[in-house]
Amino acid sequence: MSAAFARPALAAPPASCAVISHGGTHVTDQNVSFDTTSIHTPDGSTSLTIKQMTYTTTASGSTADSVQDQADAASLLLVSALTGRHNPACSAWLNKQGQSIANGLKAGNTYSIVWNKAAVTHAAAHVGIGSASLKLAGDTAAHNAAATLGMTGLTFQNIPNQDLLPTAAHAAFSLPASEIPALMAAVGGKAEQAPAVHVTISNFDAQRDTVHLKGNGTATLTGNVNATSASGHLEVVNIETLIEKVRAANQMKLAAGMVLARLVSHAQNGASVWDATWSSGVLTVNGFPLPLK
């Protein structure tokens, strides 16, 4: 039975990592929902507010404390992913939550979280999220996690090149369950010290206005963007409009690279198509290197 829940202070992440509060909290051993959530860094410079959030797991050994901790960990990762801020004080706590989730995934459990009407702020920068969701499904044989991630209603204020960022994005991918704790610690904590995480992307798409990007492939992820690499198939619908947006943002080097990429692309079903790799800030398209740094 769902009931209002006040958790012990020791269940929260360290105060040097983040300060988290909830309103209208309802928890069972496998589900938690919050009418409001507020997360901010100890110095108050970065924050996440969520109007409504729901987290669910099928793990039979879960407790009210553990599901709330896992929901808080996922929200901390959302803040770090959108702001690029990494706090070493969060590493150990995030790794602990990741270990619990990895064990559950190896047992075939699923974990899902939905954020509705959220906002992330860092100094003057602001990202609005209409809705975001993440689901992880375990595999008892391969010990992999099949994941889906979606965001809609994205808005941006006071962010460089914000007119180039998508208003909606979705991805379906898989990764070894054993690599999840290190990835969580990397994204929210010490990025440079995290090992690589190997991801297979079955589908990715992002859209803004009439510009639509789609792709699939493989990626090696860390909390450090300079150590991230990827390869696969890429399609862009309406690349001419994207190039004009890049020029309007005064990103002339990127615009020149995209013009060259268009020249070596293949036309397919109304889209510009490439086989591409990304490594150390260099995008290689159909064998042609396009440095973007």
Side-chain angles (χ1 to χ4, degrees):
M1 181 175 66
S2 179
F5 175 76
R7 69 179 183 177
L10 291 177
S16 55
C17 167
V19 179
I20 303 177
S21 62
H22 301 291
T25 305
H26 301 277
V27 179
T28 70
D29 288 348
Q30 295 181 307
N31 177 276
V32 59
S33 63
F34 307 111
D35 292 338
T36 60
T37 297
S38 174
I39 300 175
H40 62 82
T41 54
D43 62 5
S45 64
T46 304
S47 66
L48 166 67
T49 57
I50 309 166
K51 185 173 183 181
Q52 203 279 332
M53 176 171 64
T54 301
Y55 178 80
T56 303
T57 176
T58 62
S60 59
S62 296
T63 65
D65 278 347
S66 70
V67 293
Q68 187 159 359
D69 283 348
Q70 291 165 11
D72 288 345
S75 297
L76 276 173
L77 295 178
L78 181 65
V79 177
S80 295
L82 291 177
T83 64
R85 286 177 57 86
H86 309 280
N87 184 350
C90 299
S91 294
W93 187 79
L94 287 171
N95 188 281
K96 179 180 179 182
Q97 304 311 316
Q99 289 287 354
S100 176
I101 292 172
N103 291 338
L105 290 167
K106 292 176 183 178
N109 293 311
T110 62
Y111 301 83
S112 62
I113 187 166
V114 177
W115 299 273
N116 286 315
K117 296 184 179 179
V120 177
T121 60
H122 173 59
H126 180 279
V127 178
I129 304 170
S131 179
S133 62
L134 173 66
K135 182 177 180 179
L136 300 173
D139 183 337
T140 57
H143 286 179
N144 283 336
T148 56
L149 172 66
M151 291 186 176
T152 61
L154 296 172
T155 60
F156 308 93
Q157 296 177 8
N158 300 318
I159 293 176
N161 305 316
Q162 62 189 34
D163 291 337
L164 305 180
L165 299 175
T167 55
H170 299 84
F173 56 96
S174 63
L175 72 164
S178 60
E179 294 182 346
I180 288 177
L183 179 62
M184 290 177 62
V187 172
K190 291 184 177 180
E192 292 77 11
Q193 297 182 9
V197 176
H198 304 88
V199 178
T200 299
I201 304 163
S202 57
N203 179 65
F204 168 79
D205 67 80
Q207 188 166 3
R208 184 183 184 94
D209 301 326
T210 60
V211 178
H212 192 184
L213 183 150
K214 298 187 291 184
N216 57 75
T218 61
T220 301
L221 306 177
T222 73
N224 180 357
V225 68
N226 293 321
T228 295
S229 62
S231 64
H233 181 77
L234 183 67
E235 301 180 13
V236 176
V237 176
N238 207 355
I239 190 173
E240 292 78 10
T241 298
L242 179 58
I243 292 172
E244 290 304 314
K245 286 180 177 289
V246 172
R247 286 173 173 161
N250 202 32
Q251 296 295 311
M252 304 313 293
K253 187 175 183 179
L254 176 57
M258 294 184 67
V259 170
L260 292 174
R262 180 179 59 182
L263 292 175
V264 298
S265 69
H266 305 291
Q268 181 178 314
N269 299 324
S272 298
V273 179
W274 308 267
D275 290 316
T277 63
W278 166 268
S279 180
S280 301
V282 177
L283 178 66
T284 300
V285 180
N286 293 343
F288 191 85
L290 306 171
L292 301 182
K293 282 190 174 182

